[in-house]
Amino acid sequence: MPLLLIVLLPFLGALLPLAVGRHPRHRALAAALAPLAAFGLLLSQAGAVLEGEVLQARWRWLPRLGLDLALRLDGLGLLFALLILGIGLLIILYARYYMSRHDPLDRLYALLLLFMGSMLGIVLADNLLLLLVFWELTSLASFLLIGFWRKDSEARKGARMALTVTGGGGLALLAGCVLIGRMVGSYDLDVVLASGELIRNHALYPVALVLVLLGAFTKSAQFPFQFWLPHAMSAPTPVSAYLHSATMVKAGVFLLARLYPALAGTELWFYLVAVTGLVTLLYGAYTALFQSDLKGLLAFSTISHLGLITLLFGLGTRLAAVAAVFHIVNHAIFKASLFMAAGIIDHETGTRDIRRLAGLWKYMPHTAALAVVAAASMAGVPLLNGFLSKEMFFSETLQLEGGWRWSLPLAATLASVFSVAYSLRFAHDVFFNGEPHDLPKYPPNEPPRYMKVPVEILVVLCLLVGIAPALTVAPLLDAAAAATLASPPPTYSLAVWHGVNMPLLMSTCALLGGVLLYSQRARLFAKREDVRAGRPRLDAKQVFEATLQRLVRAAARFNQWCENDSLQRYVALLLGAAVVVVGAGLFRLPQLLGEVALSPLDPLTTLAALLLMVATVATVLWHRQRLLCLLMLSAVGLFVAMTFARFSAPDLAMTQITVEVVTIVLMMLALNFLPPQTPAEPGRARHLRDIVLAAVVGVGVCALVLAVLTRHYDPIGQYFLDNAVSGGGGHNVVNVILVDFRGFDTFGEITVLTIAAVGVVALLAGLSLEHPGHDPQGRAWVAERHPLLLVVLSRTLLPLALLVSLYIFLRGHNQPGGGFIAGLVTALALILQYIASGVRWTQRRLRPRYARIAAIGVLLAAATGLGSWWFDLPFLTSAFGFVEFPLIGELEIASAIAFDLGVYLAVVGSTLLILYRLGRLSLPQTDEEAL
Amino acid sequence: MEVLFALVIGLLAGSGVYLLLRARTFPVVVGLTLLSYGVNLLLFGMGRLLGNAAPVIESGRQLYTDPLPQALVLTAIVIGFAMTAFLLVLALRGRGELGHDGVDDRRGEEERRP
C-alpha cells in the first residue's frame, strides 16, 4: 500500500495547486504537500530496502493481457525515487520564485506533479507493460511542460519535436517489451530479470534489443536522437532543471539499468550501447563548448553526460555498471543546481547569452560561488562528487582488450578535456572575465533568499558526496548497484585518494588540457566560424520541420491521388482491392477444381443459359441506348428467375419475377427524367482499364464459383430442414427461416426497406425535373395515355390479383409463398392500376397512406417479436396451433403469421410509396399539390 | 452444369463491373442490377445445384436442397430492389441539383480549388 500511495500521491496532489487561492506561496505549499508525504513514505520504506529487501505490491488489473498493477521498490527504484521526489521538491520551491506573479503557476505545478507521478511509476513498476504506460505518460506530460509557454512558437515546435522523437521511441519500446514478454511468457519483472539467459539466446534477441534501445536512446537523447533536447530548452527553466537534467532524460538510462540483467552481456549489447554512448559523449562535449546560450551549453553537456552513462552500461563489466549508477546520481545533483543557477542569472539579468554576460561575481557573489562549485563538479575537480564517478569511469575504460585498449581511454580523456573547457566557460565567462555589457536588467542583484536555497542544498550535497562518499552515498549506491546487477555488487572503493595511478593521470591531463583549450577559445571559435561559413548550417529544427512538412505534403499528395472526388476512381480502386484479396486466396488453391464430379448438362438448361448470356452481352453492348438496354436487362432478370426455378428454389423464382417487374417499371419511370441516350465517354485508356478490370472480376468470380461447387461442404442447412416442422410449424423451410429461425434478420430487412422508401421520399421532396414526354425526334411516347383495353383488363384483374396474393400469403408457411411474395404481388396489382388509369384516377379512389402502411407493418412485426416477452420467452419466439375453420378446413395459426403480415404490409407500403412518389413527379405541379 | 453456371455468374459479374465503372448514373444502376443478379446467383449456388429438391417438407421425400442460402437470397433480392430504387432517385436528384447525370461532379471540383 505505501508503494501505491507513493506513485498515486503526486497524481492526486496535482489537483491541489489548482484548488487553492491565487497567491504563489499558497500554490507552492499546496503543490509541495503530496510530494512531501510521498517522500516521507519513501524514507519510511528505505531502511528495509537498504538492508537488501525488495518490496513488492500487486493488484490484478488486466490479467489476460499480462498487465498487473505491480510495483516494486528495490535499490535502483529507491535511488531514482529519492532523486525524483527530492529534486522535485526543490524545483517546486525554486519555481515559486522563478515564475512571475502573472504566470500560470498553478498549471505549471499541476503538470510538474503529473510528470513526477509518471516518473515514479516508471521507476517503481514491476511489470513491463505498466512501465510502458508510465513511460508514455512522461512523454505526454513533458510535451505539455516543454510547450508551457504556449503562445511561443519555438516552445510549441520544441514540444512537438520532443513528443515525436520520444513518442516514436516509446512505440519501439512497446514492440521490444512485447517481444521480451513473448520470449519469457510473462511481463513480470521478476520473471524477465531472471530469464536473461533465455532472452540472450533467443533468435529474436537482436530485434528485441534494438527496439528497447531505440526507446531508451530517444528518451535519453543519445546520438542520433539527441537533437530534440536542445530545442526542449524553450521550456521554463525549472522544467529544464527537473526534466532535462535529473529525471526524464534519465528514464532512458534507468531502462538500461533496469533491464541490465536481462539484456546486457552480449557482444551486440557492447557494440550498440557502448559505441552509441561514446559518440554521444564526444559529440555533446564538443558541441557544448560552442554554445552561447547558457541553457544550450547545459543541454549539450547533459547529452554528453548521458552518453557517458550509456557508455558505462555498454562496457558490460560489473564495476562499470556501478560507476554508471553513481554517475546518474552525481549528474542529477550538479546539473539540476547548474540549471537553477542559469535560471537565476536569466531571472536577474534578463539574458542567458554568454557573450553578453561577464563579471557577475561582483553583483551576485553568493549565486556565483554556488554555480562555480557546481561547475567544478561537472568538470570533475577533486573533492567534488563529479570527480569520483569520473575516476571510476576512467579506470573502467582501461579494462578493455585490443584496439579499445588505448583508443577508449584516449577518447574518454578527450571528452573530459572538452568537459573541463565548457565548465570553465560557464564559470569564468559568466562570473569573471570583465564587465557585462548591454544587459536588459542592470545592475543585476542577488535573487530572493529562498530562490537560492535549492541550489545551496544541491551544492552542499556535491561537497558531502565528494569529500565523504562512504558516509553519505555508499549504502544507497550499494543497494542500487545490487538491484542493477541482480546480485551483490563487486567490491569497490569510494575513496577520494587512490594514490597516483592511471585514472588520476587522465584526470590531470583533462584538467590541464581543458584549461589550455579554454584559454585558446577565441582562436578556436574563430576557426570554427571559418569552417562553418563555407557550409550550409545544419539545424536540427529546420531539418525536423522540413521532414515533417514533406511528410504532410506526401500524405496530402497520396490522398489527392486516391481521393480525387471521382466516384469512378473509388469504385475502380475498391474493385481492384477486392480482386487482389480474393485473387490471393484463389491462387493458394493447389488446384481449381475439387473432388466432386460435375453434374450432366441438359439441353433446355443449356439453351436458357445461353439466352441469359446473350441478353447480358446485349445489355452491355447497347447500354448507351437506354430503353433498349432496359429491355435486355428485364430479359436477364427473367432468366435469372428461371434459374432459381430450375434449381429447386420456387420462393426465389417468385420473388425474383415480381421484383423484376417492379424494378423495370421503376427504371422506366426514372428514365422519363433522364437523357434517353448515354453520350460516348472519352479516353481509350480508361475504357481499357475498365474492360480489364471487368474481365478480371468476371474470370475471378467464375473461378471462385467453380472452386466452391466442385468441393464437398458440410451445410448447416440440415438443422433447419430437421426442425422446420417440429420447431416452426411450417413445411416451407425457407419461409420458416425467414419468419421464425432468422426472424430478427428479416425484421432488420423490412426496416431497411422502409428506411429506403423514406429516403426516396426525402430525396424527391421539392424536386422538379423537366420531362419532355416525347422522344428526341419529337414523337410522343404513346398515342393514347390510357388505352381502354388495358384499363378494363386491369380493373377486372385487380380483385383476382388481390385474392391470389392472399392465397400466396396464407399458404406461405407450408408451400412456396409468404409475406414478401404476397406483398410484391399486391403491389404489382396496384401498380398496374396506376399504369393503366393514371396516378390521378387511382389516387382519388384509393387514397392510401403508403408510408403509414409500411410503418404499421414494421411495428406489427416488432410487436409480434416483443409479444413473446409476455410469456417470458426470448424476442420473436413463435407459437403455433391448428384451428378448424368452417368451409376452409383445418388451418394452422402460428404467431409467425402475424410477423409475416408485418412483412407483407411493409413490402406493400414501401414499394408503392417509392413508385407512387416517383410517378407523381410527372404530374403538373398543381396536380401534385392537390393529391 | 457447374461450369455453365459459373460462366453465367462470371459474365454477369464482369458485365456488371464494366457498367458500374461508367461515368453516367443510369448505366451504373443497370450495372449494379446485373452485379446483384450475379451475386444472388453466386450465394444461391453455395447451396449446390439440385433439381426437384425444393426445401418444402413432404413425407417420403429424402432429397432437399439447402434452404439457408435461399432464405438469404430472398431478402437480398428485396433489399436489392430497395437499393436500386434509392439509387435511381439519387440519380434523379443529382440531375435536378447538378443539371447533368454524370457520376462525378466535375463542375464542383474547379470551384473548390483556389
Tab-separated table of all heavy atoms in Angstrom, chain A residues 114 257 264-265 375 400 439 584 595 641 668 812 854 880 912:
chain	number	residue	atom	x	y	z
A	114	LEU	N	2.054	15.859	-12.252
A	114	LEU	CA	1.671	14.754	-13.144
A	114	LEU	C	2.923	14.053	-13.652
A	114	LEU	O	3.018	12.823	-13.673
A	114	LEU	CB	0.889	15.282	-14.354
A	114	LEU	CG	-0.573	15.629	-14.135
A	114	LEU	CD1	-1.196	16.063	-15.451
A	114	LEU	CD2	-1.308	14.422	-13.590
A	257	ALA	N	19.546	0.309	-16.961
A	257	ALA	CA	19.900	-0.292	-15.677
A	257	ALA	C	18.894	-1.369	-15.300
A	257	ALA	O	19.252	-2.459	-14.854
A	257	ALA	CB	19.948	0.778	-14.596
A	264	ALA	N	21.931	-7.316	-20.995
A	264	ALA	CA	23.341	-6.971	-21.155
A	264	ALA	C	24.227	-8.212	-21.211
A	264	ALA	O	23.780	-9.316	-20.913
A	264	ALA	CB	23.784	-6.069	-20.019
A	265	GLY	N	25.473	-7.970	-21.608
A	265	GLY	CA	26.458	-9.040	-21.531
A	265	GLY	C	26.744	-9.714	-22.852
A	265	GLY	O	27.486	-10.677	-22.909
A	375	ALA	N	29.857	23.882	-11.187
A	375	ALA	CA	30.552	23.730	-12.465
A	375	ALA	C	31.835	22.941	-12.272
A	375	ALA	O	32.215	22.124	-13.130
A	375	ALA	CB	30.844	25.102	-13.074
A	400	LEU	N	39.643	-2.682	-21.189
A	400	LEU	CA	39.313	-3.408	-22.415
A	400	LEU	C	40.550	-3.947	-23.119
A	400	LEU	O	41.673	-3.516	-22.868
A	400	LEU	CB	38.542	-2.498	-23.367
A	400	LEU	CG	37.133	-2.167	-22.883
A	400	LEU	CD1	36.493	-1.155	-23.796
A	400	LEU	CD2	36.291	-3.415	-22.803
A	439	LEU	N	23.140	44.611	-20.771
A	439	LEU	CA	22.206	43.708	-20.086
A	439	LEU	C	20.802	44.306	-20.097
A	439	LEU	O	20.633	45.505	-19.905
A	439	LEU	CB	22.629	43.496	-18.626
A	439	LEU	CG	23.828	42.598	-18.358
A	439	LEU	CD1	23.984	42.395	-16.866
A	439	LEU	CD2	23.685	41.273	-19.063
A	584	ALA	N	-5.603	-13.480	-54.132
A	584	ALA	CA	-4.566	-14.071	-53.285
A	584	ALA	C	-5.046	-15.390	-52.701
A	584	ALA	O	-4.297	-16.367	-52.609
A	584	ALA	CB	-4.183	-13.103	-52.166
A	595	GLU	N	-12.963	-32.207	-55.786
A	595	GLU	CA	-13.108	-33.647	-55.966
A	595	GLU	C	-14.512	-34.050	-56.428
A	595	GLU	O	-14.714	-35.168	-56.868
A	595	GLU	CB	-12.747	-34.365	-54.662
A	595	GLU	CG	-13.617	-34.012	-53.459
A	595	GLU	CD	-13.281	-32.649	-52.856
A	595	GLU	OE1	-12.276	-32.045	-53.268
A	595	GLU	OE2	-14.039	-32.171	-52.008
A	641	ALA	N	-34.705	-15.628	-62.836
A	641	ALA	CA	-35.828	-16.234	-62.123
A	641	ALA	C	-36.004	-17.690	-62.543
A	641	ALA	O	-36.245	-18.569	-61.711
A	641	ALA	CB	-37.100	-15.438	-62.402
A	668	MET	N	-38.106	2.511	-65.773
A	668	MET	CA	-38.714	3.235	-66.896
A	668	MET	C	-39.240	4.575	-66.439
A	668	MET	O	-39.112	5.593	-67.141
A	668	MET	CB	-39.833	2.396	-67.504
A	668	MET	CG	-39.306	1.205	-68.278
A	668	MET	SD	-40.633	0.218	-68.908
A	668	MET	CE	-40.681	0.773	-70.586
A	812	GLY	N	-48.036	-19.552	-47.448
A	812	GLY	CA	-46.593	-19.349	-47.442
A	812	GLY	C	-45.844	-20.178	-46.423
A	812	GLY	O	-44.693	-20.537	-46.643
A	854	ALA	N	-46.497	1.026	-44.395
A	854	ALA	CA	-45.163	0.466	-44.174
A	854	ALA	C	-44.805	0.527	-42.695
A	854	ALA	O	-44.285	-0.437	-42.119
A	854	ALA	CB	-44.134	1.224	-44.999
A	880	PHE	N	-47.459	-21.918	-32.316
A	880	PHE	CA	-48.413	-22.244	-33.377
A	880	PHE	C	-49.379	-23.321	-32.896
A	880	PHE	O	-49.114	-24.073	-31.955
A	880	PHE	CB	-47.675	-22.714	-34.637
A	880	PHE	CG	-46.805	-23.919	-34.414
A	880	PHE	CD1	-47.285	-25.208	-34.618
A	880	PHE	CD2	-45.499	-23.757	-33.984
A	880	PHE	CE1	-46.473	-26.298	-34.426
A	880	PHE	CE2	-44.694	-24.856	-33.782
A	880	PHE	CZ	-45.183	-26.132	-33.999
A	912	LEU	N	-45.006	0.621	-52.907
A	912	LEU	CA	-45.932	1.566	-53.518
A	912	LEU	C	-45.550	2.999	-53.211
A	912	LEU	O	-45.716	3.886	-54.052
A	912	LEU	CB	-47.351	1.262	-53.050
A	912	LEU	CG	-47.944	0.050	-53.767
A	912	LEU	CD1	-49.256	-0.359	-53.147
A	912	LEU	CD2	-48.155	0.358	-55.255
